[in-house]
């Protein structure tokens, strides 16, 4: 009897242990349904449709324009740069953007229309296609040009009145592209958008002009200090650019093309292909507008010895001291400028 009880006890015990192991194993490999549900919620949250508000729109236009400015940092030319970039394309800022989504036209055009409908109340039946889109881009680039002028970045050889008239004409051109013509109520909504973009550009230009001027002044001061350091001998004349500064060298392109009768005794930098050597003179060929021209140079102690190669490209900086007479293959006598080279770069 005791033996049977013991056997029954052992069987029961083994059963409990096995069930425990099975439950543990199943919990170890089972899916975390609740966790997955939460993950799904997170994904859904990320993929929620963008609220096409003015805050969202202008924040991302600002980002877009900043990214263009990083690539082309000269802010004085930014209005012209805007003509070559689609600064209204905000598709990258919509996580739900699908370039193959329903509706005709590029994604950027559809997004702008959606924004105008949602935030400015534009009638959904109003069509906006690439013509209207491009007209808006062109208009905003002209407004940017106006603020570039107003902030003293460029004068464009014009005046405020002409720039304003150009903007007015662009607005007329934009509304002419809408088919059918916009009712006054819908036109006002588009004008509200244009007005807001105008305010955005005014603020953007005020902000960026201040930064640009500060950076320009800083760079100018650094360049002046750099020049003074080279001129005073504190900084070595060990690069071609430093040599240009030290000797106040000018581009000698025109000297090669049309040598003056009398040497100027000033310093110039010129480049070409080494053709031959005549005593201590090096004859260099330079093709200008399809014509073969020449200049000649001799080395000074400042230039040092160089490992020249016939046919090799070189650039020299030297003083224009003389003229070298040569005869072309058809027997025409011509002259080439002669330089005492103080710096040579191969």
């Amino acid at each position: 009897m005791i033996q049977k009880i013991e056997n029954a006890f052992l069987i029961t015990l083994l059963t409990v242990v096995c069930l425990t192991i099975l439950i543990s194993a199943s919990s170890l490999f089972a899916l975390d349904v609740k966790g997955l549900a939460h993950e799904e919620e997170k994904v859904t949250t990320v993929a929620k449709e963008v609220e096409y508000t003015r805050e969202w729109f202008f924040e991302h236009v600002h980002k877009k324009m900043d990214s263009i400015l990083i690539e082309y940092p000269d802010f004085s030319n930014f209005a012209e740069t805007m003509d070559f970039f689609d600064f209204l394309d905000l598709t990258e800022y919509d996580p739900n953007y699908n370039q193959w989504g329903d509706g005709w036209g590029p994604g950027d055009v559809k997004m702008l229309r959606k924004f105008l409908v949602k935030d400015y109340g534009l009638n959904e039946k109003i069509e906006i296609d690439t013509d209207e889109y491009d007209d808006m881009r062109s208009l905003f680039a002209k407004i940017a040009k106006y603020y570039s002028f107003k902030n003293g970045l460029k004068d464009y050889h014009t005046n405020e009145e002409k720039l304003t008239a150009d903007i007015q004409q662009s607005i007329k051109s934009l509304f002419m592209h809408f088919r059918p013509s916009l009712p006054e109520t819908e036109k006002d909504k588009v004008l509200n958008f244009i007005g807001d973009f105008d305010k955005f550009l005014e603020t953007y230009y005020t902000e960026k002009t201040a930064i640009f001027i500060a950076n320009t002044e800083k760079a100018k001061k650094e360049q002046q200090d750099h020049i003074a350091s080279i001129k005073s001998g504190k900084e070595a004349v060990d690069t071609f650019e430093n040599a240009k500064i030290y000797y106040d060298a000018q581009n000698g392109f025109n000297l090669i093309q049309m040598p003056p009768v009398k040497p100027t005794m000033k310093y110039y930098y010129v480049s070409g292909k080494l053709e031959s050597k005549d005593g201590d003179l090096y004859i260099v060929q330079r093709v200008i507008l399809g014509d073969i021209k020449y200049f000649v140079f001799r080395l000074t102690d400042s230039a040092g010895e160089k490992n020249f190669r016939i046919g090799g490209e070189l650039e020299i900086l030297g003083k224009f001291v003389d003229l070298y007479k040569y005869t072309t293959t058809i027997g025409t006598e011509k002259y080439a400028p002669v330089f005492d080279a103080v710096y040579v770069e191969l």
Side-chain angles (χ1 to χ4, degrees):
M1 183 70 177
I2 293 173
Q3 184 65 40
K4 288 182 179 180
I5 293 172
E6 287 177 350
N7 290 339
F9 176 76
L10 287 172
I11 290 169
T12 304
L13 181 61
L14 285 170
T15 302
V16 171
V17 170
C18 289
L19 284 172
T20 304
I21 292 170
L22 283 170
I23 292 168
S24 300
S26 64
S27 63
L28 180 64
F29 296 106
L31 289 172
D32 182 5
V33 177
K34 288 185 178 180
L36 287 175
H38 289 310
E39 286 297 319
E40 181 63 29
E41 286 176 11
K42 289 178 185 176
V43 173
T44 305
T45 301
V46 171
K48 273 185 179 178
E49 189 171 347
V50 169
E51 295 291 335
Y52 285 86
T53 61
R54 276 167 238 206
E55 183 181 0
W56 176 87
F57 178 83
F58 287 109
E59 175 190 347
H60 292 302
V61 171
H62 196 290
K63 284 183 182 178
K64 189 78 174 182
M65 290 170 67
D66 280 353
S67 68
I68 296 170
L69 197 53
I70 289 170
E71 192 172 353
Y72 296 90
D74 185 354
F75 192 62
S76 63
N77 290 321
F78 190 69
E80 289 81 357
T81 304
M82 286 174 68
D83 281 326
F84 299 98
F85 287 89
D86 190 355
F87 52 88
L88 294 180
D89 178 10
L90 306 184
T91 53
E92 64 188 290
Y93 299 115
D94 185 348
N96 293 302
Y97 167 65
N98 175 13
Q99 61 176 325
W100 308 115
D102 58 348
W104 177 88
D108 47 3
V109 177
K110 288 186 286 186
M111 284 183 68
L112 179 63
R113 181 177 175 277
K114 190 174 183 180
F115 165 63
L116 291 175
V117 168
K118 286 203 164 193
D119 199 277
Y120 286 87
L122 189 71
N123 191 309
E124 289 186 351
K125 294 180 180 179
I126 302 296
E127 288 296 329
I128 294 179
D129 62 24
T130 51
D131 285 336
E132 290 82 13
Y133 184 86
D134 289 342
D135 278 352
M136 286 187 192
R137 285 180 54 240
S138 176
L139 168 62
F140 296 146
K142 287 177 181 178
I143 294 175
K145 185 177 179 180
Y146 171 83
Y147 285 115
S148 180
F149 175 85
K150 287 285 286 182
N151 282 277
L153 294 173
K154 271 195 169 182
D155 64 8
Y156 297 105
H157 304 292
T158 188
N159 56 47
E160 186 175 346
E161 185 180 350
K162 288 181 180 178
L163 289 171
T164 305
D166 197 20
I167 292 169
Q168 188 177 26
Q169 185 58 44
S170 290
I171 294 173
K172 288 181 181 178
S173 176
L174 167 64
F175 286 126
M176 284 175 63
H177 268 130
F178 281 98
R179 289 291 180 270
S181 298
L182 290 178
E184 286 300 317
T185 53
E186 300 304 317
K187 189 181 287 188
D188 285 343
K189 293 169 186 176
V190 176
L191 285 172
N192 287 339
F193 169 57
I194 294 171
D196 285 344
F197 210 104
D198 169 56
K199 292 172 187 173
F200 162 76
L201 282 174
E202 182 181 19
T203 302
Y204 191 83
Y205 260 82
T206 300
E207 169 195 332
K208 297 301 179 182
T209 299
I211 295 171
F212 177 74
I213 291 174
N215 288 340
T216 301
E217 290 298 320
K218 181 183 176 183
K220 185 178 177 181
K221 177 66 166 58
E222 288 174 351
Q223 180 64 7
Q224 288 172 342
D225 292 344
H226 176 57
I227 291 171
S229 180
I230 292 170
K231 292 281 191 182
S232 66
K234 291 180 181 178
E235 194 169 334
V237 184
D238 54 359
T239 68
F240 204 85
E241 291 304 313
N242 282 8
K244 287 180 186 179
I245 293 170
Y246 185 80
Y247 291 102
D248 291 320
Q250 304 169 43
N251 192 323
F253 177 85
N254 289 333
L255 288 182
I256 302 171
Q257 191 174 23
M258 294 182 292
V261 174
K262 185 178 180 182
T264 63
M265 307 306 287
K266 293 180 180 180
Y267 288 92
Y268 301 87
Y269 54 91
V270 289
S271 62
K273 184 182 293 185
L274 183 61
E275 184 175 281
S276 62
K277 191 170 185 286
D278 180 10
D280 66 342
L281 297 176
Y282 294 88
I283 317 297
V284 183
Q285 182 190 106
R286 173 70 186 265
V287 178
I288 299 176
L289 302 175
D291 292 334
I292 296 176
K293 302 288 185 179
Y294 291 92
F295 69 86
V296 179
F297 73 91
R298 65 171 63 89
L299 292 172
T300 65
D301 292 340
S302 299
E305 293 297 323
K306 299 292 178 181
N307 185 24
F308 294 113
R309 293 180 181 274
I310 300 298
E313 297 285 343
L314 54 80
E315 187 171 18
I316 70 114
L317 188 154
K319 182 190 288 187
F320 176 30
V321 295
D322 204 352
L323 290 171
Y324 179 88
K325 184 166 73 173
Y326 65 95
T327 305
T328 65
T329 53
I330 60 173
T332 305
E333 286 189 347
K334 292 193 173 185
Y335 291 87
V338 179
F339 300 95
D340 282 344
V342 295
Y343 202 98
V344 179
E345 193 164 81
L346 303 179

